[in-house]
Amino acid sequence: GDGSDEGEEEDDDDLVQTDRLDGAQVVPEMGADTAEPAMRGGGGGARPSGVVVGIVRRAWRPYACVLDPDSAMGSQYLAEPLDTRIPKINLTTRQAEMLRGKLILVSVDLWDAGHRFPTGHYVRTLGAVGDKEAESEAILIEHEVNCAPFS
């Protein structure tokens, strides 16, 4: 568009910049009795549609992960989040042997458009995989429950 229809929307705490599509553009919409995308023109009844033009701010949080030792490429490793909806996180560390078999917190820093996985950094170790207290803390963190000591 010409900028007059641009807006900011939030989805899952991400701040997203959008731009409305002109009425003559194709908007993918699944038909009721077909798996083919329907063509939508500028005619009456067309629903407003838009396209994401950028993400202004990401709502990344620390994720409980396990380091994948088989993914080593020099000092780079993939940390696998416990939440299967989150992709593996690229992590650079020289402490891989100390982190093997541990639950760790990893925070995402950025996700370049040309990279398969986001890049993050090590925050802290929760404890050994299978340890009741470490696993409990990981569950609380994954559900965004504050588990800091009460003061």
Side-chain angles (χ1 to χ4, degrees):
D2 60 359
S4 61
D5 291 331
E6 292 180 3
E8 292 181 356
E9 297 179 15
E10 292 194 38
D11 181 34
D12 294 332
D13 298 326
D14 292 344
L15 185 59
V16 177
Q17 182 69 37
T18 59
D19 190 7
R20 283 186 73 157
L21 292 174
D22 294 334
Q25 293 191 3
V26 176
V27 178
E29 181 177 290
M30 301 309 282
D33 37 10
T34 178
E36 296 295 317
M39 299 288 277
R40 301 285 271 175
R47 65 185 171 97
S49 300
V51 60
V52 174
V53 294
I55 298 173
V56 179
R57 175 181 31 95
R58 292 301 315 227
W60 295 116
R61 61 174 178 81
Y63 297 102
C65 301
V66 176
L67 196 69
D68 179 3
D70 298 330
S71 67
M73 291 187 66
S75 61
Q76 290 190 343
Y77 295 84
L78 290 175
E80 191 166 347
L82 300 182
D83 185 345
T84 57
R85 297 172 297 173
I86 308 300
K88 293 179 181 182
I89 302 167
N90 192 15
L91 179 69
T92 301
T93 183
R94 290 186 297 251
Q95 307 174 37
E97 284 305 313
M98 288 184 7
L99 300 177
R100 185 182 303 256
K102 305 277 189 201
L103 281 171
I104 59 174
L105 272 186
V106 176
S107 188
V108 173
D109 298 322
L110 60 105
W111 195 343
D112 290 326
H115 288 92
R116 183 174 177 193
F117 301 113
T119 300
H121 67 273
Y122 166 82
V123 177
R124 69 183 174 95
T125 301
L126 299 175
V129 171
D131 177 65
K132 187 171 81 172
E133 292 206 14
E135 298 279 349
S136 297
E137 188 175 358
I139 290 169
L140 292 173
I141 289 169
E142 286 305 305
H143 290 88
E144 299 184 54
V145 175
N146 185 0
C147 53
F150 182 75
S151 58

